[in-house]
Amino acid sequence: DGMCAAAHGVWVCTLTAHAIALVDQAGQLMQTIGTRDGYPVACCLDPDGRLFVTVAETGGAPILEAAANKTLKTRVDVYEPAAT
């Protein structure tokens, strides 16, 4: 889903921005990773600490419009090693 627990916080996919954010337990922003032109929709950490992020590419359209028009494409970005 759009959130993934990490050792010192939570990775959060942001559907209104082109980034994934690491937030600590106090709610403070610790790190962001830009996803270029795509919207991050899901993420997870593997046992080796790599962060996998499913990114939706909409061609510039709002994400729900691209889904309705069946023009939505996805890719998986891998960040290694992930900050936790």
Side-chain angles (χ1 to χ4, degrees):
D1 67 29
M3 299 178 81
C4 175
H8 302 291
V10 177
W11 283 104
V12 180
C13 293
T14 57
L15 290 177
T16 57
H18 299 280
I20 184 169
L22 180 61
V23 180
D24 70 12
Q25 287 111 352
Q28 297 296 312
L29 180 64
M30 296 176 60
Q31 180 180 357
T32 60
I33 300 172
T35 55
R36 299 183 303 279
D37 59 342
Y39 296 96
V41 294
C43 60
C44 70
L45 287 169
D46 77 359
D48 296 323
R50 290 179 293 222
L51 178 64
F52 290 78
V53 181
T54 302
V55 179
E57 297 176 345
T58 66
I63 195 165
L64 293 178
E65 181 181 316
N69 292 335
K70 300 185 188 292
T71 58
L72 186 69
K73 296 179 181 178
T74 59
R75 69 175 192 263
V76 175
D77 293 348
V78 180
Y79 301 95
E80 183 174 3
T84 53

